[in-house]
Amino acid sequence: MIFLSDILHIAKTNHLRRKLIVKLSFSSYAAVGVMLFALFFGAGNLIFPASLGQNAGTNLWPAAIGFLITGVGLPLLGIIAMSFSGSRNLQELATRVHPVYAVFFTSLLYLTIGPFFASPRTGTVAFEVGFSSFVSESSQQLWLFIFTLVFFAIVLFFSLKPGKLVDTVGKMLAPGLVALIAILLVTAFVSPMGEIQAPQDSYSSGAFVTGFLEGYNTMDALASLVFGIIVINAIRSMGVTSKTDILKTTIKAGSIAVLLLGSIYVGIAYLGATSTQVLPIFDNGGPVLSGAASHYFGTFGSVLLAVAITLACLTTAIGLTVANAQYFNTLFPKFSYKSLVVFFATITFVIANFGLTNIITYSIPVLMFLYPLAIVLMILTFVSPLFKHSRVVYGSTIAVTFLISIFDGLKSLSKSIGVEFAWMQPIVDFFENTLPLYDQGLGWLLPAVVVIVVTGVISRLQPDKSPAAQQAS
């Protein structure tokens, strides 16, 4: 009897341990949520809701709702999709489409959130918000060159030997920057700079759709497919092991992160909307933040915000450089990690000197192409069990989405550079006449859903022995 009671005691103890491991406290969810918020919260993201607010004017709220769907909702969906899929990384998940496509898609995504757009943006945002107001208009380009040279030299130095220093500084800076932004936003709510004015351009009649597409610029939905594994590993380190519990914890922690992020976005958008009686409507949101800080707190406030944002941008740029160098080092082992860091830091510095407005302008065509592919991959991940993870469904749906989104990207590029691509006009006209929501940038959505349904039904009716199905099962 003693032996039996000992066994029962051990079994009961293990059962209680499992319950304690799975049922995390709110503080545990909050810790992961704040970590995820810090991953998403880049100083560069502050400029987009500020610009949206200035241009949306009295149509602020529909524009803000559209922005929140893509700027906050999709990143949460991406994190949950990675958790739901059980994949070790993005490339493994994208292999369900095809191994070659997986390398192409993952590489382009890393380059987009790295040296092509997001990383150069960190340097230009730091300059625009922190220092551009202190130098003359005629010398802006020279000072941008000097500033970014120093900025990315520091990025290069720390990226060559990544350590805990950058993480520590980032953890210290994130709360400080959030506190500064919170003080600025509370002041703006209590004492607005002026009345909200009439909307500009596309915000006059299509505020929701314009805000929806503007949310692409944060690039957070793309980054979520990379950050997802970081969140999952953090949850596992807390003792959560089952796939179901990891998914539940991811949803709860992710909800905390997006609630914080969404609150800041709405506040900054409101700040931008109330600023236009005092500040001119700028090409980007950088000067809006610096102008608001100067208006409320004078030179000291501007300098304090400038220093905080510059340091925050530095830690973001270092993280992006390290992530790209590590990924491409695994892809091309012949190139050493250090040589890739030097290469990416140099490319980033060169692109940064095209200026913030140009970086944003030329990133839009790539995002118009890349975002539909990312969104469809998320959708496929969630419905994958219904069609037994068939590669036919993955491949067919991505192929159709690719065909439509690549012309969306080219159309956006044509508009950005002011050059018409006559050869593709018949194709664009066909899409406009046949695809619902095409003019709203969502022409890919219905065809993707139709292909998923049709190929999914076919796959349900026959066994699938593809490598993707075996891998996902």
Side-chain angles (χ1 to χ4, degrees):
M1 281 297 292
I2 295 176
F3 179 68
L4 179 60
S5 64
D6 287 341
I7 293 175
L8 291 172
H9 175 71
I10 292 171
K12 184 178 180 181
T13 302
N14 288 336
H15 176 68
L16 289 173
R17 282 177 181 168
R18 283 195 297 271
K19 286 185 72 177
L20 287 172
I21 288 173
V22 172
K23 292 188 177 181
L24 299 175
S25 64
F26 176 77
S27 61
S28 299
Y29 294 125
V32 179
V34 170
M35 180 201 74
L36 181 55
F37 165 77
L39 287 171
F40 282 131
F41 184 70
N45 291 1
L46 301 177
I47 64 178
F48 298 110
S51 180
L52 176 143
Q54 278 206 317
N55 287 281
T58 52
N59 285 339
L60 171 65
W61 299 117
I65 292 171
F67 184 89
L68 290 176
I69 291 174
T70 48
V72 174
L74 284 181
L76 176 60
L77 195 68
I79 293 291
I80 296 172
M82 287 303 299
S83 179
F84 183 81
S85 72
S87 300
R88 292 172 295 178
N89 52 54
L90 173 60
Q91 185 170 320
E92 182 180 287
L93 175 60
T95 300
R96 295 182 182 185
V97 180
H98 192 276
V100 175
Y101 175 81
V103 173
F104 163 78
F105 177 74
T106 307
S107 299
L108 182 57
L109 188 144
Y110 266 94
L111 291 171
T112 299
I113 65 172
F116 282 179
F117 301 111
S119 194
R121 198 171 69 191
T122 59
T124 53
V125 165
F127 176 76
E128 288 276 359
V129 175
F131 299 93
S132 64
S133 60
F134 297 104
V135 299
S136 64
E137 188 72 28
S138 59
S139 60
Q140 291 272 328
Q141 192 62 43
L142 173 62
W143 282 107
L144 174 63
F145 177 85
I146 296 170
F147 178 86
T148 52
L149 181 64
V150 175
F151 184 94
F152 288 109
I154 296 172
V155 170
L156 174 62
F157 176 79
F158 283 105
S159 298
L160 285 172
K161 294 183 178 180
K164 293 184 178 180
L165 176 63
V166 174
D167 289 337
T168 303
V169 173
K171 289 175 183 177
M172 293 171 59
L173 276 173
L177 181 56
V178 170
L180 284 173
I181 295 297
I183 292 170
L184 180 62
L185 297 183
V186 169
T187 306
F189 272 102
V190 173
S191 178
M193 281 187 273
E195 297 291 329
I196 299 178
Q197 303 299 300
Q200 305 290 314
D201 302 326
S202 58
Y203 286 95
S204 299
S205 57
F208 174 82
V209 172
T210 304
F212 182 94
L213 296 177
E214 187 70 15
Y216 284 6
N217 285 319
T218 66
M219 303 187 196
D220 282 345
L222 304 181
S224 70
L225 296 173
V226 176
F227 294 158
I229 194 62
I230 299 174
V231 175
I232 293 165
N233 288 338
I235 293 171
R236 283 175 177 158
S237 70
M238 294 179 173
V240 182
T241 55
S242 78
K243 183 178 177 180
T244 301
D245 288 338
I246 290 174
L247 181 60
K248 289 179 180 178
T249 307
T250 302
I251 294 172
K252 291 178 180 179
S255 299
I256 293 172
V258 299
L259 180 63
L260 291 171
L261 198 60
S263 300
I264 290 177
Y265 282 163
V266 170
I268 294 174
Y270 177 80
L271 171 69
T274 57
S275 70
T276 53
Q277 283 189 315
V278 175
L279 303 174
I281 296 179
F282 295 104
D283 291 335
N284 62 74
V288 180
L289 291 173
S290 59
S294 178
H295 173 81
Y296 286 116
F297 307 119
T299 303
F300 174 76
S302 298
V303 171
L304 190 62
L305 182 66
V307 171
I309 284 185
T310 300
L311 292 174
C313 284
L314 268 173
T315 58
T316 301
I318 293 166
L320 292 173
T321 303
V322 170
N324 270 267
Q326 288 175 340
Y327 172 71
F328 284 99
N329 179 238
T330 60
L331 205 58
F332 305 107
K334 291 184 179 180
F335 296 96
S336 69
Y337 169 80
K338 290 186 176 181
S339 65
L340 287 168
V341 166
V342 173
F343 174 74
F344 286 131
T346 303
I347 293 296
T348 304
F349 161 69
V350 171
I351 294 176
N353 277 273
F354 285 95
L356 181 57
T357 300
N358 282 325
I359 292 172
I360 294 172
T361 299
Y362 286 97
S363 69
I364 292 174
V366 177
L367 298 178
M368 291 296 291
F369 166 66
L370 201 53
Y371 252 85
L373 297 175
I375 296 170
V376 168
L377 183 61
M378 294 177 198
I379 295 171
L380 286 166
T381 301
F382 288 117
V383 299
S384 187
L386 298 178
F387 53 79
K388 298 182 287 189
H389 314 290
S390 169
R391 178 167 286 171
V392 172
V393 181
Y394 274 94
S396 302
T397 309
I398 290 294
V400 170
T401 307
F402 186 100
L403 181 64
I404 298 170
S405 63
I406 196 170
F407 283 100
D408 282 341
L410 288 171
K411 186 176 72 169
S412 180
L413 177 63
S414 173
K415 183 179 178 180
S416 298
I417 64 178
V419 176
E420 290 189 11
F421 300 146
W423 61 270
M424 72 172 193
Q425 195 56 48
I427 300 173
V428 172
D429 290 341
F430 173 76
F431 286 161
E432 288 178 344
N433 294 329
T434 57
L435 297 179
L437 303 176
Y438 186 78
D439 290 337
Q440 286 75 42
L442 297 171
W444 50 270
L445 183 57
L446 184 60
V449 171
V450 170
V451 172
I452 290 174
V453 172
V454 172
T455 57
V457 169
I458 294 172
S459 297
R460 289 282 297 181
L461 298 176
Q462 56 186 2
D464 180 25
K465 299 180 181 181
S466 68
Q470 295 171 4
Q471 172 195 339
S473 62

